[in-house]
Amino acid sequence: MGSRVWLVTGASGGLGQALVSEVLSAGERVIAVTRDDKPLQPLTAAFPGRLRTVSVDITDAGTLRAVLDDAITGFGRLDVVVNNAGYALAGPFEELDDAELRAQFEVNFFAAANVLRAVLPYLRAAKAGRVLQISSLAGQIGAPGMSAYTASKHALEGLSVSLAAELAPLGIRTTIVEPGAARTGFRADWASRLYGSAPLPVHEALARSAGAAGGQAGDPAGMAQALVILADMPSPPLRLPLGSDAVTGIGNARSDQLEELRRFTMLSASTDHTKAI
Ligand SMILES: NC(=O)c1ccc[n+]([C@@H]2O[C@H](COP(=O)([O-])OP(=O)(O)OC[C@H]3O[C@@H](n4cnc5c(N)ncnc54)[C@H](OP(=O)(O)O)[C@@H]3O)[C@@H](O)[C@H]2O)c1
């Protein structure tokens, strides 16, 4: 049977590549799904027979399924699936066109769904497995200039919460991973979004975020180590924030939400036929 097999999307750089490297170093095997396998060639050479790279467009469901079937059959098993590929379409909402918004969902939401459709039959047959959905701090909060990205990550989280409940009785555990800002190529193109037709406060917020690139607290290697620990947990959490900024941001958002819920309870509950409060 051999060691566990992971499937990681968005594997050519950033968190995905760090995870592939960490998993291989831990003695396990990886199917790395990528648009460009060149950055992974040193790992292929360093870990012979333990890394299969799959070059495919994850938004093309039909092709994706065929190549994943082939790779999974080649290794003979599948244990951990990591939906990691994603990008952030930054920009004031009014400056994003419909095609850009849909493209954001194609990669961050629908491609993850394509991967799940392709892999779940294998996990179901094994009556075991882990699904790690790489969301974001932005899957829990909003921020100016991030409407498209936060919408796509909130959608991924909504799918994942229900999916987790569907899969748990089958022995498959799902965790939504919520990284804070990490030092990857992730913010590389945000600066190109700074100039709209009219200056708005959102442009300043975006300029600050783009300017902070390179100084993010999160270390992708540390995040990769946390994901390996997560995949070993017998009772993994439904959600796992990564990074102190994610812990603080999500904690503050939930406290604010609870405080607001309490403050407006009378109005909220006043719409029942029979007054309960
Ligand atoms: N870095 C952060 O601050 C941060 C914070 C919270 C959440 N995240 C999430 O973490 C995940 C990994 O991001 P990262 O920080 O490692 O960023 P990254 O260095 O830009 O890597 C993202 C990977 O996603 C894939 N990808 C990007 N755009 C794509 C597209 N249009 N179509 C298909 N695949 C695409 C690429 O993989 P291939 O080229 O191999 O296909 C790319 O290597 C993403 O889901 C991101 O939303 C990142």
Side-chain angles (χ1 to χ4, degrees):
M1 284 288 276
S3 61
R4 278 193 310 192
V5 174
W6 293 56
L7 185 149
V8 180
T9 66
S12 71
L15 178 57
Q17 190 182 120
L19 180 59
V20 171
S21 174
E22 186 65 28
V23 171
L24 291 169
S25 300
E28 301 191 316
R29 295 176 288 174
V30 184
I31 298 166
V33 183
T34 179
R35 293 168 300 174
D36 173 14
D37 66 3
K38 271 191 220 72
L40 294 164
Q41 284 169 1
L43 287 172
T44 307
F47 297 95
R50 289 209 275 125
L51 174 60
R52 276 169 194 260
T53 57
V54 168
S55 299
V56 67
D57 175 359
I58 53 175
T59 66
D60 177 351
T63 311
L64 178 73
R65 180 168 231 150
V67 294
L68 293 191
D69 279 342
D70 195 43
I72 296 165
T73 307
F75 270 148
R77 62 186 281 177
L78 182 65
D79 300 276
V80 187
V81 175
V82 188
N83 263 318
N84 167 73
Y87 72 97
L89 169 63
F93 173 71
E94 283 185 65
E95 293 172 14
L96 307 177
D97 66 29
D98 186 59
E100 287 177 309
L101 190 56
R102 287 176 190 278
Q104 174 76 105
F105 271 75
E106 278 300 329
V107 174
N108 290 10
F109 179 78
F110 288 107
N114 291 342
V115 170
L116 290 167
R117 279 191 208 95
V119 301
L120 287 178
Y122 294 95
L123 302 185
R124 236 180 334 96
K127 298 187 174 60
R130 299 297 170 98
V131 174
L132 310 185
Q133 302 278 73
I134 307 300
S135 174
S136 170
L137 167 60
Q140 287 284 317
I141 67 167
M146 287 290 135
S147 56
Y149 181 62
T150 53
S152 69
K153 291 295 190 182
H154 276 65
L156 184 68
E157 293 218 5
L159 179 151
S160 305
V161 170
S162 297
L163 181 74
E166 287 181 28
L167 298 183
L170 305 174
I172 304 164
R173 307 301 299 264
T174 306
T175 297
I176 300 163
V177 179
E178 294 159 335
R183 239 172 266 181
T184 66
F186 185 67
R187 298 187 187 203
D189 68 350
W190 289 9
S192 64
R193 279 291 181 179
L194 299 183
Y195 308 105
S197 46
L200 297 166
V202 57
H203 291 111
E204 284 174 33
L206 212 43
R208 278 195 297 279
S209 300
Q216 301 96 319
D219 175 6
M223 291 180 173
Q225 285 163 12
L227 295 181
V228 171
I229 292 169
L230 174 68
D232 284 337
M233 288 179 191
S235 300
L238 175 60
R239 288 189 162 87
L240 181 70
L242 293 180
S244 56
D245 56 345
V247 172
T248 303
I250 292 170
N252 289 344
R254 294 291 77 81
S255 298
D256 292 351
Q257 188 179 17
L258 192 57
E259 209 272 315
E260 202 165 79
L261 183 78
R262 290 191 177 124
R263 197 145 49 96
F264 294 97
T265 297
M266 293 299 277
L267 178 59
S268 300
S270 69
T271 57
D272 293 0
H273 281 290
T274 305
K275 305 282 174 265
I277 297 175

